[in-house]
Amino acid sequence: QVQLVESGGGSVQSGGSLRLSCAASGYPYSRYCGAWFRRAPGREPEGVATLDEDGTTMYADSVKGRFTISRDNAKNTLYLQLNSLKPEDTGMYYCATDRISYDYCSPSRSFLTFGIRGQGTQVTVSS
């Protein structure tokens, strides 16, 4: 069974940076849409960034220019670089991917449409 394991979360001050990783042992990330979501307390998961199998990236407007999604195919690992962090970026960050090809790869997709989802890593940004 494929498992996604996130790491790299932590507590930083406003303006700081973090790099999140999501490892999938033996899973061909490069064949499917890879995504990062975040959930603030009391809110539904929000799509942050996606990376399609052809390398196309998409970002939520709230993180454009600050976050970067990338993938290391050899390591089967998805990354999210978070720069210029703001308190409103605080939340649990989840990675997700598909088991089969989906119609589209976009942060607008619901978290639940991804067949494989990680357990999350906490990011806390203080002002």
Side-chain angles (χ1 to χ4, degrees), residues 35-96:
W36 284 96
F37 284 78
R38 68 183 177 193
R39 183 171 62 189
R43 302 187 65 178
E44 293 296 314
E46 167 196 24
V48 173
T50 54
L51 174 58
D52 208 341
E53 56 265 30
D54 64 1
T56 300
T57 58
M58 296 184 70
Y59 298 92
D61 287 343
S62 58
V63 306
K64 280 182 182 177
R66 300 188 298 121
F67 291 8
T68 303
I69 189 171
S70 62
R71 180 176 61 215
D72 186 327
N73 295 337
K75 295 182 179 180
N76 290 319
T77 301
L78 189 70
Y79 300 98
L80 186 67
Q81 178 69 41
L82 292 70
N83 295 329
S84 302
L85 282 161
K86 305 175 181 179
E88 52 264 42
D89 294 319
T90 293
M92 187 70 78
Y93 282 69
Y94 302 87
C95 60

Side-chain angles (χ1 to χ4, degrees), residues 3-6 39 92-95 111 117-122:
Q3 288 187 324
L4 301 181
V5 180
E6 299 102 332
R39 183 171 62 189
M92 187 70 78
Y93 282 69
Y94 302 87
C95 60
F111 186 52
R117 303 182 293 272
Q119 295 301 306
T121 184
Q122 178 68 35

